[in-house]
Amino acid sequence: MHSDKMSHQQMPVKIDDVMERILDIFEETDGYATTGYLVDEADSTRPTVTKRLDRLYAADYIEYVHEPTAFWQLKKDPRSP
């Protein structure tokens, strides 16, 4: 029997220099940061940072704490075993 519910599994995420910096920033801020703060601290463009956040979110490594302010929480670092 087919189920409409998909299991939510953590997928591998490509770790490039920008992703590495974003994850480092989350580490430095105890796992919490806004999109704007990540853009400023990663010294990258908003579209580039947003694309990385979208990948982390889709893979269930981060979640919105407060969507209107784009406040994120790192649930699990994809670099960790």
Side-chain angles (χ1 to χ4, degrees), residues 8-9 11-14 18-19 22-23 26 35 38-39 45-64 67 70 72-74 78:
H8 204 104
Q9 297 178 359
M11 307 176 315
V13 174
K14 182 180 176 202
V18 175
M19 183 70 80
I22 288 169
L23 293 168
F26 272 119
T35 301
L38 292 166
V39 169
T45 65
R46 182 170 290 273
T48 299
V49 170
T50 300
K51 187 179 292 185
R52 299 317 185 281
L53 292 172
D54 288 346
R55 290 178 190 161
L56 289 168
Y57 182 72
D60 200 34
Y61 286 108
I62 62 173
E63 68 182 353
Y64 270 121
E67 192 168 345
W72 296 96
Q73 177 184 16
L74 181 67

Side-chain angles (χ1 to χ4, degrees), residues 63-80:
E63 68 182 353
Y64 270 121
V65 175
H66 188 245
E67 192 168 345
T69 58
F71 190 55
W72 296 96
Q73 177 184 16
L74 181 67
K75 295 167 62 175
K76 181 178 184 333
D77 191 327
R79 300 173 294 185
S80 299

Side-chain angles (χ1 to χ4, degrees), residues 2-8:
H2 176 69
S3 172
D4 288 336
K5 289 187 175 184
M6 294 177 60
S7 63
H8 204 104

